[in-house]
Amino acid sequence: MRKSFILLSAAVALALPTLAVADTGSTTVGIGYDNVGIHLGSGISASVPAGKLTIGHTFGATNYGVGFDLVDGAGNGLTYQHLQVTGEKLLPFDGGVIAPKILIGGSRVGVAGGNSYHVSTAYAGFGASYGYPVGRYVSLTANAAMGRDFATHVTGLHTVGGLFYQAGAAVDFGGVGPGMFTVGYEYRHLPISISNDIHLDTSGFQARYNITF
């Protein structure tokens, strides 16, 4: 596990008591594995094993939630980091919960240890997720979002961002010890430099364990 991922995990553990005061809601922490397929559209294509940390907090009866996820990994000559922060409103809908959301995030891919060449971008947008229980211990979730990426950077090139989009799906299994086990898939498209045909596509197969406090 990379050093930054470990340090952030420790920081989160210290912050949890602060989040869970005055009956303001519940906090969910998930730690797991993400196998990220990376395609840069410039001849670079590989998979990167990564650790993933997710944190979400729901504010009591207001049904508002905030959360972030961090992915940090290295492999096959690449390093990869991704961070996304979301804010959402949880609404009952047709037997499940729909959650319109706003989000902001960023991704970075480094080649040859990240010292000689890297691609990075930030993005912001809006989207929604929908979760539906299909049994006592099983629920399905789908999500999609779109927006604009900006602050794009490719070593040695002038870049301009564009429309980004992402989508994913997950299956949650409850009744697994004190928490919930989740498996899922997520795809993200980030246009880094259209004029140079450089775009960052990532597809991740994820597995993590979540505990709610």
Side-chain angles (χ1 to χ4, degrees):
M1 192 69 65
R2 293 177 59 82
K3 183 178 179 180
S4 60
F5 185 74
I6 296 173
L7 290 176
L8 185 55
S9 300
V12 169
L14 292 174
L16 286 177
T18 304
L19 287 174
V21 296
D23 194 27
T24 56
S26 60
T27 299
T28 300
V29 177
I31 298 178
Y33 171 79
D34 193 350
N35 188 67
V36 186
I38 296 173
H39 177 65
L40 280 177
S42 57
I44 297 175
S45 183
S47 64
V48 174
K52 183 169 186 175
L53 171 68
T54 62
I55 300 177
H57 186 77
T58 303
F59 294 91
T62 62
N63 290 330
Y64 285 97
V66 296
F68 74 84
D69 63 84
L70 171 71
V71 179
D72 189 16
N76 296 315
L78 301 177
T79 60
Y80 176 69
Q81 293 84 37
H82 173 256
L83 174 66
Q84 179 172 288
V85 181
T86 61
E88 60 188 7
K89 171 69 172 177
L90 309 175
L91 302 168
F93 180 77
D94 196 26
V97 175
I98 190 170
K101 64 182 67 182
I102 57 174
L103 53 91
I104 186 168
S107 294
R108 184 185 188 278
V109 177
V111 183
N115 297 317
S116 61
Y117 179 86
H118 77 268
V119 173
S120 61
T121 183
Y123 62 88
F126 61 92
S129 63
Y130 181 64
Y132 187 83
V134 295
R136 182 179 179 184
Y137 295 114
V138 180
S139 61
L140 305 177
T141 303
N143 69 84
M146 64 183 299
R148 172 85 184 189
D149 76 335
F150 56 92
T152 59
H153 176 81
V154 178
T155 303
L157 292 177
H158 172 72
T159 61
V160 178
L163 176 70
F164 98 89
Y165 51 87
Q166 65 183 39
V171 182
D172 299 320
F173 300 93
V176 183
M180 178 180 295
F181 181 69
T182 299
V183 293
Y185 171 83
E186 186 175 61
Y187 172 81
R188 182 176 298 107
H189 172 80
L190 295 163
I192 307 297
S193 178
I194 297 175
S195 60
N196 293 285
D197 192 29
I198 297 177
H199 49 270
L200 173 57
D201 291 331
T202 58
S203 55
F205 292 94
Q206 308 163 359
R208 68 179 183 273
Y209 192 73
N210 312 285
I211 296 180
T212 298
F213 301 87

